[in-house]
Amino acid sequence: MTKIHEISNILLGWYRLNKRELPWRDDRNPYKIWLSEVILQQTRVQQGLPYYWAFIQKFPTIKALASADLDEVYNLWQGLGYYSRANNLLKTAKIVHEQYSGKFPTSYSDLLKLPGIGPYTAAAIASMAFGLKYPAMDGNFFRVVGRLFEVDEQANSSTGKKLYHKLGELLLEGVDSADLNQAIMDFASAICTPTAPNCDSCPLISHCQAFFNGSVNKYPLKTIKNPKKIQYLYYFYTENKLWIRQRNKNSIWNNLFEFPNFISSNPVDLNDKIMQVGLYEDEMPFELDGNPYYLKHHLTHITFHIYILKIFSNFALDKLWKTNGFFVINPKDYKNYAFPKPLLDFITNHLYHV
Ligand code: SF4
């Protein structure tokens, strides 16, 4: 038995004893596996489970999901962020229902063509639902494999991707690829964790090059990221009225609802009790009512400093907002509208104590 084959068998042995019981693992159903993978791109397993159950309960089949409205999908997705993924979820469901008679395509290359399905998700579905030999390469995979073999390439470089893929294929040779991919996922989150791996109780300790060389903390090699853009986002609401409107389709948080706002690449001086800022191309003075609510929100390429400001209502502002497509809702009806996560958190935790 080769060393790499021995590693696969040890991982599978560990998995048989320590496997997490997860609902999408019961019957190798591609719909459930795909849904769980899309949700878990946003969150950890424990936080993702309630979302998974909510979707399965409301849309038990791909046919049910394909006939949903985008608003229904957004409502269930609230709190997960990255709404473009919810959008793609619905698009893929419709394509699978209409073009593939409700059955997921069974080849890796056809899976890759579906909206929102990248190499990792395609490999996860191909291996876990159809038993194909594709390594599911995510952060967990890079960590375990990077340490076991001391991979001296960054996972996002083209040489790194090829090398990791080759090692993944060798690990899958002659074993059940669904089980091995899932074994690596579970092993990475239980034993070979990012900051404090449990090497003392690791069944692979005698095969691990990074442990042998005392270089565990070095692997996987850190990837170099571009610095994030910083933006200042100011939202407004008034004591007695909640003005909202739906964002347009080609923006971040597309189709979600928002308060009147403006965005700036520089901070605005909030110490002025009466401020004058550019709201929708008009200069409009307004007066702050109390202290602003502040939070920081991170997206992949942008960090937002968000200020949510209560201001005194006045006729001119109402008129301005109305002409810019806003309408008034009763705050207690907020659940009928899907908001971006920062606004939803603010509404549920602070606004009017709803
Ligand atoms: S010995 Fe430590 S670093 Fe190596 S695979 Fe096991 S847990 Fe990970």
Side-chain angles (χ1 to χ4, degrees):
M1 191 186 289
T2 62
K3 182 183 160 178
I4 204 154
H5 198 55
E6 213 174 310
I7 290 175
S8 302
N9 280 330
I10 293 171
L11 279 167
L12 288 172
W14 179 90
Y15 182 62
R16 274 191 283 279
L17 298 174
N18 300 286
K19 164 182 184 179
R20 286 179 291 190
E21 294 302 330
L22 297 170
W24 51 88
R25 287 181 173 174
D26 293 346
D27 50 7
R28 300 198 173 189
N29 176 325
Y31 171 59
K32 293 179 182 172
I33 292 166
W34 163 69
L35 186 59
S36 71
E37 287 299 335
V38 178
I39 290 171
L40 295 182
Q41 285 167 7
Q42 322 291 136
T43 184
R44 291 167 175 274
V45 171
Q46 282 316 313
Q47 284 82 35
L49 271 169
Y51 285 94
Y52 172 82
W53 283 122
F55 268 94
I56 285 293
Q57 220 166 8
K58 184 141 190 169
F59 308 116
T61 60
I62 192 121
K63 187 178 172 196
L65 180 56
S67 46
D69 284 340
L70 187 57
D71 283 346
E72 288 179 283
V73 175
Y74 275 0
N75 263 324
L76 290 185
W77 191 263
Q78 276 193 89
L80 283 174
Y82 296 103
Y83 279 80
S84 57
R85 291 180 183 165
N87 230 331
N88 284 333
L89 197 74
L90 186 56
K91 279 188 197 158
T92 287
K94 286 184 191 298
I95 294 171
V96 172
H97 179 57
E98 285 157 20
Q99 296 176 21
Y100 293 92
S101 314
K103 291 191 169 45
F104 266 85
T106 53
S107 80
Y108 176 81
S109 55
D110 283 345
L111 285 166
L112 258 189
K113 288 180 198 150
L114 295 169
I117 296 193
Y120 167 77
T121 311
I125 301 171
S127 63
M128 286 154 62
F130 308 123
L132 303 180
K133 302 269 176 226
Y134 284 94
M137 302 196 299
D138 65 350
N140 289 323
F141 175 92
F142 295 131
R143 191 165 65 250
V144 173
V145 174
R147 287 170 176 171
L148 280 170
F149 301 99
E150 285 192 308
V151 178
D152 279 310
E153 297 288 345
Q154 288 168 337
N156 63 350
S157 69
S158 60
T159 344
K161 275 184 204 155
K162 279 186 203 143
L163 182 52
Y164 273 109
H165 194 266
K166 186 75 214 157
L167 288 166
E169 280 183 332
L170 291 171
L171 282 165
L172 290 177
E173 234 171 59
V175 300
D176 182 314
S177 46
D179 280 354
L180 191 76
N181 275 334
Q182 291 175 107
I184 292 176
M185 291 172 197
D186 287 9
F187 180 78
S189 62
I191 305 284
C192 197
T193 54
T195 46
N198 200 349
C199 300
D200 289 343
S201 53
C202 175
L204 288 170
I205 193 165
S206 61
H207 296 275
C208 180
Q209 288 178 30
F211 181 81
F212 183 76
N213 292 319
S215 61
V216 169
N217 291 334
K218 187 180 159 195
Y219 296 96
L221 293 193
K222 305 265 172 303
T223 51
I224 300 156
K225 292 180 185 155
N226 292 329
K228 282 190 180 186
K229 192 171 162 190
I230 293 185
Q231 297 268 273
Y232 296 82
L233 178 53
Y234 300 87
Y235 285 115
F236 303 91
Y237 70 102
T238 61
E239 176 68 46
N240 48 1
K241 288 182 197 158
L242 194 55
W243 289 87
I244 66 167
R245 78 172 172 191
Q246 195 161 26
R247 289 178 65 82
N248 67 41
K249 283 187 182 145
N250 300 317
S251 61
I252 56 160
W253 297 322
N254 53 8
N255 286 324
L256 301 189
F257 287 82
E258 64 180 357
F259 297 177
N261 63 80
F262 76 95
I263 195 162
S264 157
S265 33
N266 298 305
V268 163
D269 186 359
L270 297 177
N271 293 322
D272 283 348
K273 210 167 173 340
I274 296 207
M275 295 191 290
Q276 179 122 4
V277 292
L279 278 175
Y280 317 110
E281 290 143 27
D282 294 297
E283 288 294 311
M284 179 60 66
F286 57 84
E287 192 175 356
L288 278 182
D289 178 4
N291 292 323
Y293 172 87
Y294 168 78
L295 76 155
K296 214 188 241 189
H297 187 72
H298 300 282
L299 296 178
T300 326
H301 303 299
I302 310 177
T303 295
F304 281 116
H305 293 277
I306 299 179
Y307 294 86
I308 306 180
L309 307 151
K310 187 159 127 191
I311 58 178
F312 287 105
S313 176
N314 70 52
F315 179 72
L317 271 179
D318 285 2
K319 197 171 160 216
L320 175 67
W321 290 348
K322 203 170 175 180
T323 52
N324 278 284
F326 288 91
F327 55 94
V328 175
I329 62 159
N330 183 333
K332 299 224 178 311
D333 293 335
Y334 79 94
K335 284 188 180 154
N336 297 335
Y337 305 90
F339 291 94
K341 186 166 185 324
L343 276 183
L344 181 68
D345 287 350
F346 171 72
I347 294 170
T348 49
N349 297 324
H350 299 275
L351 186 61
Y352 306 113
H353 307 292
V354 284

